[in-house]
Amino acid sequence: MASSFPEEVLEHVFSFLISQKDRNAVSLVCRSWYEMERWCRKRIFVGNCYAVNPRVMSRRFPEVRAVYLKGKPHFADFNLVPDGWGGYVYPWIVEIARVYPWLEEIRLKRMVVSDECLEMIGKSFRSFKVLVLKACEGFSTDGLAAIAANCRNLRVLDLRECEVEELSGHWLSHFPDSFTSLECLNMACLSSEVSFSALERLVARSPNLKTLRLNRTIPLEKLSTLLQQAQQVVDFGAGSYSAEIRSDVYSSLADAFSRCKNLKSLSGFWDVTPAYLPAIFSVCSQLTSLNLSYATTQSPDLTKIVGQCYNLQRLVVLDYIEDTGLSTVSMTCKDLRELVVFPSDPYVADANVLLTEQGLVSVSQGCPKLHSVLYFCRRMSNSALISISQNRPNLTCFRLCIIEPRVPDYLTLEPLDAGFGSIVKNCKQLTRLSMSGLLTDRVFEYIGTHAKNLDMLSIAFAGDSDLGLHHVLSGCDNLRKLEIRDCPFGDKALLANASKLERMRSLWMSACFVSFGACKLLGQKMPGLNVEVIDERANVNSIPDYAPVEKVYIYRTVSGPRFDMPDFVRIMGKDKDGVNNLS
Amino acid sequence: MTTQELGLDITELRLGLPGGGGRGERNDKKRVFFDIFSTGGEVDHFSANSGGKNRNIDMAVGWPPVCSYRKRAMIKMYVKVSMDGAPFLRKIDINGFKDYSDFVMALGNLFGLIGDECEYTPIYEDKDGDWMLVGDVPWEMFTETCKRLRMKKRVNDGGLQTKT
């Protein structure tokens, strides 16, 4: 059948397939489809940079234009992965530079990127257009200067939440005067000053600039200057939104905002002077995305803003919004899809803001399209969770963080098993779940039984025994990422479900009861897994096999053990040469 | 690490991994104040067998799960700093620093302690009300547990007084 269907037709059909999942499925149909698909795959996604080595990618896919790589596990965001663990992008850049001279896009998440890597990117790819670095580290403003100087066709430079060594603010000046193709510049994560005149000139000569996210050092007084040069902007991040109250500054700012007819997304707003907030009122009804999570603005001012955002789809705020503000959201923002509420003061036991479970319940009642939630609060009840699940069975992502660990239902003092159980029972499309509060093994039974679409699960300070972990590993058919901290889960559940681990991307367990011996056994039994024990204790070599490890990170891989590990990381159960790898 | 070595190390204001580490003997005592934090050593803070129920919540690193980028950007953690003999206190935002070395430099600058002034040891009061030597725990944990700071004058006999 394959020979009667012209290749060109199949290739044309395949060109409509964008999702990696679809392309992977297509490549499994038969040998000739595999061959055809690999020749025309342009975009590569590697969810764990250690699951495969760069040569495997370059040998299979010769025509790649865009690469997206992820490095460290998610818990690295909370400082649980020690410095030096790994996630170096260097070997990937070397291979990509060698094989894909026409590469256009590189996206990296939680990777270590050196200046040398950035220099290599600048020099190796003539058509390079997009660089997105999210939560990356290891580079300085010198590396950024190399990108600016060399990437003549750059469209996107997006630095999200990166740790950058800031040697100078003049990297921006390295964009040549002839450079006019910029569409997106996100430098919000830089904490030191950049040359404002260079920035202004860059904005003025970038007619396609749609996204401009400034950093905190750009003062409010200068915003109107920039906005006037970039009235076409769609996504704008203000810098520090604070200044002496002056009517001329206010009116030019309000005027500048009102001219931005395409503005749909606002963010930034550090250090807010409330008197300047009304300057954005004219654009509120246009906004689909609003991130005020760095603004220490109080509830009345926040409420006045969200009360005008009729078209809002995404809202990110601090708990300063309080239940009253969220009630306004529930009445006004009927198109809301995603709600994120961060804590203003996470290390204080008692709430100093009036944000409770009620805020979330009201939004779940009033916003029919709400499907994604990340919510930090200090109390919760089973009845609230049950209401939320009944109001919003369309939830796909539900992440609840009750600030103090192991806190029960504040009304009944019972565990929150029933509440989260209701979430997984009613929300059949749930793909991501993070839980907190007092939870017993029972909640894991509910999850294993009902959460059949769950892709990622985060657990902390929960459960009673290995049975909890066993329910999850044996029941959640689509689970790919599981991260666990401070739970009494140990060897039995892990070893009994060893084969499941090969059908997942990764499992993280820290401060649990998994022993050295079990890790060794798992590593020996499962050649397709790297079982990394991360343990910084000085006496780690003399710890007996039955004692628990500090942290273990288990992931599937086709490339065997890695060789760039620091001394506190050991891959268990493999001999010195490791499993035979494919390079 | 024997008690004697521990005592000596404290007098010489040298900290590092248990069993040694650090940069060896230094003749230049004048820079010793800043030496503590330039070795970059992090003393282990995990105890064996600690998973599950009996963890001290205050000591849980990375909880609540607010990513470090957001923590640094958002929270101002101003704590009071007193110095023995100074007529008034200062305040410093702990969250404005990424690690101990920048922080200690800034502490020194607050009180004009540069170069020759190595008579002070920084100590801090933690959430339990205990006075601790700055530098033992990982930086992130320190920022989460420090309530106030004190620049304690070293006593001539080389020991640290334990009076609060």
Side-chain angles (χ1 to χ4, degrees):
Chain A
M1 184 171 110
S3 55
S4 66
F5 212 57
E7 271 185 26
E8 298 79 34
V9 176
L10 268 181
E11 252 184 57
H12 183 68
V13 172
F14 290 171
S15 68
F16 292 101
L17 295 174
I18 305 170
S19 108
Q20 173 121 326
K21 240 176 128 183
D22 288 342
R23 282 188 163 265
N24 288 345
V26 148
S27 64
L28 289 174
V29 167
C30 63
R31 274 251 141 236
S32 60
W33 279 39
Y34 174 92
E35 280 299 314
M36 256 178 280
E37 191 282 319
R38 79 179 186 92
W39 276 97
C40 66
R41 189 181 302 204
K42 301 265 187 298
R43 315 189 74 88
I44 299 286
F45 169 67
V46 179
N48 173 3
C49 65
Y50 291 120
V52 62
N53 71 47
R55 289 253 173 165
V56 172
M57 171 189 70
S58 60
R59 272 201 331 247
R60 179 174 169 187
F61 301 109
E63 296 289 329
V64 173
R65 295 278 187 273
V67 175
Y68 181 6
L69 305 172
K70 295 188 180 181
K72 301 184 202 178
H74 175 236
F75 273 0
D77 288 353
F78 316 125
N79 289 99
L80 290 178
V81 177
D83 278 344
W85 171 83
Y88 305 104
V89 78
Y90 182 80
W92 287 88
I93 304 293
V94 167
E95 183 66 3
I96 290 168
R98 187 181 75 84
V99 175
Y100 304 132
W102 301 110
L103 191 87
E104 296 177 1
E105 304 181 11
I106 294 178
R107 291 174 173 79
L108 305 174
K109 187 170 180 182
R110 292 193 202 97
M111 295 199 79
V112 180
V113 184
S114 62
D115 283 346
E116 198 183 345
C117 294
L118 294 177
E119 279 153 23
M120 230 188 296
I121 292 173
K123 302 218 172 97
S124 311
F125 310 114
R126 262 159 289 167
S127 306
F128 194 69
K129 295 190 170 72
V130 173
L131 183 63
V132 178
L133 303 177
K134 176 156 190 201
C136 294
E137 53 169 353
F139 60 102
S140 76
T141 42
D142 287 352
L144 295 178
I147 296 286
N150 296 307
C151 301
R152 300 299 162 105
N153 297 303
L154 194 70
R155 298 205 185 139
V156 173
L157 180 58
D158 187 343
L159 309 171
R160 292 183 206 172
E161 301 177 17
C162 292
E163 260 194 58
V164 184
E165 198 190 345
E166 303 190 46
L167 305 171
S168 130
H170 288 288
W171 62 272
L172 257 181
S173 321
H174 287 253
F175 283 114
D177 290 339
S178 55
F179 172 70
T180 58
S181 54
L182 198 62
E183 294 176 15
C184 163
L185 177 62
N186 178 1
M187 40 179 249
C189 65
L190 298 179
S191 52
S192 51
E193 281 189 32
V194 293
S195 157
F196 185 79
S197 54
L199 175 63
E200 199 188 347
R201 284 196 310 274
L202 179 62
V203 170
R205 67 178 188 275
S206 305
N208 296 319
L209 192 65
K210 303 271 187 310
T211 298
L212 177 62
R213 293 195 180 192
L214 306 171
N215 73 343
R216 199 170 184 168
T217 64
I218 308 281
L220 182 146
E221 296 91 337
K222 298 216 166 118
L223 287 185
S224 45
T225 317
L226 285 173
L227 278 172
Q228 265 144 28
Q229 311 271 21
Q231 291 181 16
Q232 75 283 1
V233 77
V234 175
D235 178 332
F236 182 69
S240 165
Y241 204 70
S242 135
E244 255 179 47
I245 301 172
R246 282 175 45 189
S247 56
D248 57 333
V249 172
Y250 177 88
S251 40
S252 59
L253 186 57
D255 182 63
F257 271 117
S258 68
R259 290 176 193 278
C260 297
K261 300 296 183 197
N262 296 323
L263 190 57
K264 289 208 160 53
S265 169
L266 273 183
S267 60
F269 292 92
W270 287 275
D271 317 315
V272 170
T273 300
Y276 278 104
L277 282 173
I280 68 168
F281 282 175
S282 62
V283 295
C284 282
S285 58
Q286 295 164 208
L287 295 179
T288 54
S289 172
L290 179 61
N291 185 336
L292 290 174
S293 64
Y294 296 104
T296 49
T297 316
Q298 301 300 311
S299 183
D301 292 311
L302 284 174
T303 306
K304 252 185 243 146
I305 296 172
V306 296
Q308 299 179 58
C309 295
Y310 308 107
N311 290 306
L312 206 60
Q313 295 178 15
R314 180 169 190 262
L315 177 63
V316 185
V317 281
L318 289 175
D319 54 11
Y320 289 133
I321 196 165
E322 300 189 341
D323 289 343
T324 48
L326 289 178
S327 174
T328 302
V329 168
S330 74
M331 291 186 293
T332 313
C333 311
K334 291 305 188 184
D335 209 17
L336 195 71
R337 322 276 166 103
E338 187 181 347
L339 175 69
V340 176
V341 180
F342 284 118
S344 50
D345 213 345
Y347 303 110
V348 163
D350 296 318
N352 47 4
V353 285
L354 298 168
L355 180 105
T356 69
E357 81 284 4
Q358 281 315 308
L360 184 56
V361 172
S362 53
V363 176
S364 77
Q365 263 161 1
C367 302
K369 295 196 190 158
L370 183 74
H371 69 83
S372 175
V373 171
L374 169 55
Y375 199 77
F376 284 78
C377 60
R378 284 177 165 81
R379 72 178 200 199
M380 188 49 63
S381 65
N382 283 308
S383 53
L385 285 170
I386 293 169
S387 297
I388 291 165
S389 73
Q390 286 168 345
N391 292 335
R392 292 277 64 77
N394 53 323
L395 283 175
T396 56
C397 168
F398 188 70
R399 299 159 69 188
L400 179 71
C401 179
I402 306 165
I403 288 187
E404 199 178 326
R406 302 197 192 95
V407 152
D409 177 327
Y410 78 98
L411 294 169
T412 65
L413 297 183
E414 289 184 353
L416 291 170
D417 299 337
F420 280 103
S422 182
I423 294 277
V424 294
K425 271 182 225 159
N426 290 336
C427 306
K428 299 187 169 41
Q429 300 310 311
L430 197 69
T431 51
R432 186 168 180 186
L433 178 65
S434 302
M435 306 189 294
S436 53
L438 183 63
L439 297 163
T440 73
D441 281 347
R442 192 168 308 122
V443 74
F444 298 110
E445 197 184 332
Y446 296 146
I447 291 173
T449 309
H450 297 284
K452 294 305 182 185
N453 283 316
L454 200 62
D455 173 275
M456 181 171 180
L457 178 62
S458 311
I459 311 170
F461 305 102
D464 306 311
S465 74
D466 266 36
L467 204 50
L469 180 56
H470 176 71
H471 282 311
V472 170
L473 288 176
S474 57
C476 296
D477 302 328
N478 283 302
L479 192 67
R480 287 184 320 122
K481 290 175 280 183
L482 179 57
E483 47 185 26
I484 303 172
R485 62 164 295 173
D486 294 88
C487 295
F489 299 151
D491 300 344
K492 275 206 224 96
L494 203 58
L495 293 174
N497 292 283
S499 58
K500 167 71 173 179
L501 299 177
E502 268 187 346
R503 297 195 297 280
M504 291 169 56
R505 181 187 295 171
S506 65
L507 166 62
W508 169 281
M509 294 180 72
S510 56
C512 296
F513 292 141
V514 179
S515 71
F516 281 92
C519 291
K520 265 186 227 165
L521 193 56
L522 194 61
Q524 281 162 358
K525 257 177 70 168
M526 311 295 296
L529 293 180
N530 278 353
V531 180
E532 289 194 9
V533 166
I534 301 165
D535 202 310
E536 294 175 279
R537 285 174 287 189
N539 60 339
V540 68
N541 287 319
S542 50
I543 298 179
D545 271 3
Y546 59 78
V549 303
E550 281 186 350
K551 301 167 183 172
V552 60
Y553 180 48
I554 302 168
Y555 54 89
R556 66 179 170 192
T557 177
V558 296
S559 298
R562 60 182 176 114
F563 297 106
D564 61 354
M565 304 171 294
D567 55 13
F568 55 81
V569 176
R570 294 184 305 165
I571 294 188
M572 308 294 279
K574 310 273 193 269
D575 62 27
K576 269 207 207 82
D577 301 316
V579 173
N580 186 34
N581 62 41
L582 302 175
S583 59
Chain B
M1 215 184 197
T2 67
T3 316
Q4 188 184 22
E5 282 170 15
L6 186 66
L8 261 180
D9 273 4
I10 286 180
T11 348
E12 292 180 351
L13 297 173
R14 195 163 304 151
L15 288 174
L17 289 168
R23 286 148 60 165
E25 287 298 323
R26 283 181 63 97
N27 292 322
D28 184 7
K29 297 266 180 173
K30 292 179 182 181
R31 303 299 305 172
V32 157
F33 179 75
F34 300 107
D35 277 355
I36 306 174
F37 307 103
S38 53
T39 58
E42 287 201 6
V43 177
D44 167 55
H45 63 282
F46 284 96
S47 51
N49 214 21
S50 54
K53 309 210 171 177
N54 297 316
R55 266 322 251 285
N56 177 0
I57 275 70
D58 278 346
M59 298 300 276
V61 174
W63 189 268
V66 173
C67 71
S68 38
Y69 170 79
R70 169 164 294 280
K71 258 175 37 181
R72 273 196 304 272
M74 186 184 79
I75 305 167
K76 292 253 173 257
M77 288 180 176
Y78 279 106
V79 295
K80 291 183 188 171
V81 190
S82 60
M83 182 169 86
D84 290 354
F88 48 81
L89 280 62
R90 300 295 304 270
K91 268 200 160 176
I92 192 166
D93 172 22
I94 303 185
N95 229 26
F97 304 94
K98 293 181 186 174
D99 54 36
Y100 279 116
S101 47
D102 287 342
F103 174 66
V104 170
M105 202 72 73
L107 264 188
N109 286 338
L110 264 188
F111 293 104
L113 296 174
I114 306 163
D116 291 5
E117 315 271 352
C118 64
E119 308 163 41
Y120 295 91
T121 311
I123 60 176
Y124 72 99
E125 185 182 5
D126 73 1
K127 282 182 177 172
D128 296 326
D130 296 320
W131 285 90
M132 318 284 293
L133 186 64
V134 170
D136 282 342
V137 300
W139 172 253
E140 290 288 340
M141 184 185 277
F142 168 71
T143 64
E144 293 168 17
T145 56
C146 170
K147 279 175 50 191
R148 58 184 301 164
L149 284 147
R150 178 177 162 200
M151 304 296 274
K152 190 172 171 16
K153 197 155 187 163
R154 289 176 56 198
V155 187
N156 287 339
D157 66 8
L160 277 180
Q161 291 186 334
T162 53
K163 169 177 138 30
T164 52

